[in-house]
Amino acid sequence: MRRHQFIVPLALLGVLSFPARAEGRDISRDTLPANDGWASYGSGTTGGAAADDAHVFTVTDRAGLVRALDGGSDTPKIIRIAGTIDANTDDRGDRLDCADYATDGYDLKKYLAAYDPRTWGAAKPSGPQEQARQASAARQAERVELTVGSNTTIVGLEGAVLKGASLQVKDATNVIVRNLELRDAYDCFPVWQPNSGGLGDWKTAYDNIWLRGATHVWVDHVTLSDKGHPDSGEPTYFGRNYLRHDGLLDITNGSDLVTVSWSRFAGHDKAMLIGNGDTATGDRGKLRVTLHHNEFASVVQRAPRVRFGQVHVYNNRYLVKDGHRYSIGVSTESALYLQNNAFTTPGHIEVADLVKSWNGSALHDEGTLFNGFPVDLLPIHNAYNSGSERDLTADVGWTPTLHTKIDSAEVADRAVARGAGAGRIP
Ligand code: CA
């Protein structure tokens, strides 16, 4: 499409001489349009649009990005990412791999030998190998966790990629992340949790983007994936997949007023968790999120899984592949409002596989398209849900009012296929 023939000349002229632009327009100071989802509520979301010239940065490596982020300060700032930045690098920009972080004798073979459930049992890992794992993990976290403060806009220039990082908006407000590919937030040191999910499971640390205690956040035209290290290529230990990635975009701990638009979630297990605990009652009345015109391609689960929040999910495109567990997760006190989403699945994945509920009680659904045919998710869920799941009612107790034009699922499906993800801001 469109711009391919211009990529080579732009590169020859040197990307640094160009502002973050889409079709020739500088997007650095864009703000969230009025009524565009929950992040437009009240004072809206302007990110770093008020930055003075001294706080507009173009960064090309981790060190520059860290300097621009300024320890999560709330000074209005615009950070433009150029080229590929790898978070797993030292201060000189040299690549760090898992062996570089490993310390205190951490060794995966020894870790597996120490905590094999057949000999160790179901107690939480403790002792030298677990201590060494924690110390090693802390060394990686110090490199890859990047804190984003209030009043910040992060935009990618043409082709920008942030690798291995976990962007964390913590107890901050008014943040925009746009036009950026974030890939492979790879955890070198997963921890074994013997009591997770009955059979035990591996817990990994990093989300590509993690919003915790974050309000007024707009994530737009980003591409989020495990590219480089797909979890499908990881081995199984203790009978469980040794996952290297946690969420692509998790929204937890009282976060509120978030719009996620025109983004691509691709090739990943747990894409988006909204609310991370059934007992986190401080999330009640918060976790209000709008998801529109996003593509969820080859996502296994959590697209999204919701607790507590009023979450509007409209005009999204789902490309379901083998290995899929569910798409929409209805958990404690969630109030999901689905409108005009399109699902495309292989033949053996059925409508009843799209929704899963745990302690959820309601789900609003309308205009869903399944392999080109209109379907009603709710009665099908209630007819075919498994024994542990409750029937859901249609009354979620609210009706969204903050949204852009809602298209039919068919129209949205085509528009998202063309327009979602980094590099596609019109
Ligand atoms: Ca997470």
Side-chain angles (χ1 to χ4, degrees):
M1 73 170 208
R2 306 76 70 173
R3 305 207 307 276
H4 285 174
Q5 66 267 40
F6 299 122
I7 286 174
V8 170
L10 278 176
L12 289 173
L13 287 167
V15 70
L16 290 180
S17 61
F18 286 81
R21 58 181 61 240
E23 304 287 351
R25 183 175 62 78
D26 185 357
I27 63 167
S28 301
R29 291 186 190 271
D30 284 4
T31 59
L32 177 66
N35 299 314
D36 190 349
W38 271 119
S40 69
Y41 184 84
S43 56
T45 299
T46 60
D52 59 30
D53 289 347
H55 293 92
V56 179
F57 308 95
T58 299
V59 300
T60 59
D61 57 17
R62 180 190 175 281
L65 175 57
V66 167
R67 273 196 303 278
L69 287 167
D70 191 23
S73 85
D74 60 5
T75 307
K77 57 185 124 22
I78 293 168
I79 303 173
R80 306 191 296 209
I81 293 182
T84 296
I85 293 182
D86 188 346
N88 286 295
T89 49
D90 65 18
D91 287 339
R92 293 187 309 278
D94 291 332
R95 166 84 193 166
L96 296 169
D97 63 24
C98 293
D100 294 317
Y101 294 124
T103 188
D104 297 356
Y106 174 80
D107 180 280
L108 178 58
K109 280 200 188 78
K110 289 180 184 165
Y111 188 89
L112 293 171
Y115 307 116
D116 188 323
R118 290 170 298 185
T119 47
W120 176 261
K124 202 175 154 195
S126 63
Q129 275 300 315
E130 172 57 16
Q131 282 170 17
R133 189 204 63 77
Q134 289 178 17
S136 305
R139 284 157 56 94
Q140 187 186 19
E142 191 271 324
R143 303 315 293 177
V144 303
E145 292 183 345
L146 301 174
T147 303
V148 182
S150 297
N151 309 313
T152 300
T153 291
I154 298 174
V155 294
L157 302 185
E158 177 98 34
V161 176
L162 182 53
K163 264 171 65 175
S166 178
L167 278 186
Q168 303 193 352
V169 186
K170 183 184 177 189
D171 301 328
T173 189
N174 195 28
V175 171
I176 295 173
V177 182
R178 294 183 83 200
N179 200 46
L180 182 63
E181 179 176 348
L182 290 115
R183 68 169 76 143
D184 194 20
Y186 182 90
D187 185 353
C188 288
F189 307 102
V191 60
W192 175 245
Q193 294 187 326
N195 295 307
S196 179
L199 298 170
D201 212 346
W202 293 97
K203 172 78 180 111
T204 48
Y206 306 117
D207 306 325
N208 299 35
I209 302 177
W210 185 12
L211 312 183
R212 45 177 171 161
T215 59
H216 288 285
V217 178
W218 182 30
V219 176
D220 178 70
H221 284 93
V222 302
T223 296
L224 302 159
S225 77
D226 302 341
K227 193 168 178 177
H229 287 110
D231 280 325
S232 56
E234 293 293 334
T236 294
Y237 296 129
F238 305 158
R240 308 294 284 167
N241 192 350
Y242 192 61
L243 292 177
R244 294 293 195 162
H245 307 87
D246 196 27
L248 290 175
L249 169 51
D250 282 3
I251 303 171
T252 67
N253 300 76
S255 290
D256 198 20
L257 305 175
V258 176
T259 298
V260 181
S261 52
W262 295 100
S263 292
R264 265 196 100 231
F265 297 79
H268 187 84
D269 193 310
K270 299 162 181 168
M272 185 188 293
L273 183 63
I274 302 178
N276 60 359
D278 293 327
T279 58
T281 51
D283 286 341
R284 232 173 235 156
K286 298 178 178 171
L287 299 176
R288 289 173 290 179
V289 178
T290 302
L291 308 179
H292 74 83
H293 295 94
N294 302 294
E295 179 172 279
F296 295 92
S298 303
V299 162
V300 175
Q301 56 187 325
R302 299 186 182 172
R305 177 179 176 178
V306 181
R307 297 179 174 95
F308 299 106
Q310 293 180 340
V311 176
H312 191 195
V313 179
Y314 73 89
N315 281 172
N316 298 283
R317 165 182 163 90
Y318 292 81
L319 298 175
V320 173
K321 294 286 160 58
D322 285 343
H324 170 266
R325 291 181 61 190
Y326 67 92
S327 297
I328 306 294
V330 183
S331 293
T332 305
E333 296 182 36
S334 63
L336 273 150
Y337 200 105
L338 309 184
Q339 280 183 294
N340 299 10
N341 300 290
F343 293 84
T344 302
T345 78
H348 61 281
I349 293 176
E350 300 169 356
V351 177
D353 299 323
L354 301 182
V355 175
K356 183 167 171 57
S357 64
W358 307 253
N359 299 320
S361 61
L363 174 70
H364 177 98
D365 166 59
E366 64 183 69
T368 296
L369 214 55
F370 180 79
N371 291 330
F373 294 94
V375 293
D376 289 322
L377 296 179
L378 203 58
I380 294 171
H381 172 81
N382 289 344
Y384 293 99
N385 61 10
S386 72
S388 62
E389 297 182 65
R390 280 199 248 160
D391 283 1
L392 302 173
T393 71
D395 182 7
V396 293
W398 74 295
T399 305
T401 57
L402 295 169
H403 55 78
T404 54
K405 180 171 181 286
I406 300 178
D407 290 314
S408 71
E410 186 182 9
V411 167
D413 189 48
R414 286 198 302 270
V416 171
R418 285 192 305 269
R424 290 173 159 189
I425 294 180

